Amino acid sequence: MGQRLTTLRVAAAVQLAEAVLVLMATVLAGIDAARGRSYHVNSGIALTVIGAASALALAWVAAGVARGRPWSRTPALLTQLFVGIVGIYLLQGSRLDWGAVTVALAVAGFAALLAPQSLRALARAPRSGGKPSGGKPPAGKAPAGKTAREKPGGGAGGQPGGVTRRS
């Protein structure tokens, strides 16, 4: 269990570091917008607002990863993908300082998130109502995919493909 927590903590730390980098870039964009050095004042303001919202979202995902929440796995993996792409662009644009840092963060984030311990910790629990281990439905339950209200001629209420949900 200690190793699982370690990989999740590393993944969360990487995600949080990426949030801090986005926040730093946002602050720089905001300063440029305030000084009138952005392409257009409105675009500088928009970039600042979008960057701040993105930094908050990345920090929220980092908190989810640290707590082992299954919903956080996909956004964290997508963050690593996009940070890696941005890092490659930065390296190609001769920004070796920022590019090397972002690529290293993306690689570390992928490694921590795809570690077997992290995959197990962030996996969704199987839904109740699935087949029991014996392969037979429990006594008194309809077979999977069928409901008590479904009519034999097609879906619920005679509608082809219709499914009736119980409340």
Side-chain angles (χ1 to χ4, degrees):
M1 184 160 164
Q3 191 170 5
R4 178 186 84 180
L5 292 176
T6 301
T7 58
L8 286 181
R9 285 184 183 154
V10 169
V14 167
Q15 184 79 19
L16 191 59
E18 291 163 346
V20 169
L21 285 176
V22 168
L23 186 60
M24 288 171 46
T26 299
V27 168
L28 293 174
I31 290 169
D32 284 345
R35 291 183 179 168
R37 285 196 263 160
S38 62
Y39 175 72
H40 194 279
V41 175
N42 290 340
S43 66
I45 294 169
L47 280 175
T48 304
V49 171
I50 291 169
S54 298
L56 282 172
L58 293 176
W60 181 55
V61 172
V65 169
R67 292 184 182 113
R69 302 287 192 246
W71 62 263
S72 66
R73 180 176 56 182
T74 300
L77 286 169
L78 286 173
T79 299
Q80 305 319 308
L81 176 67
F82 293 132
V83 167
I85 291 170
V86 168
I88 290 169
Y89 279 123
L90 288 168
L91 290 173
Q92 289 176 343
S94 299
R95 294 301 311 251
L96 300 178
D97 48 355
W98 286 83
V101 169
T102 54
V103 168
L105 282 172
V107 169
F110 268 128
L113 286 166
L114 295 176
Q117 299 84 7
S118 293
L119 289 175
R120 277 193 297 275
L122 295 174
R124 294 191 187 276
R127 292 183 178 186
S128 62
K131 289 185 179 180
S133 58
K136 295 181 182 178
K141 296 265 183 169
K146 304 261 184 189
T147 63
R149 295 184 206 168
E150 189 171 315
K151 294 185 179 176
Q159 304 271 338
V163 176
T164 303
R165 292 182 176 226
R166 295 183 185 176
S167 314

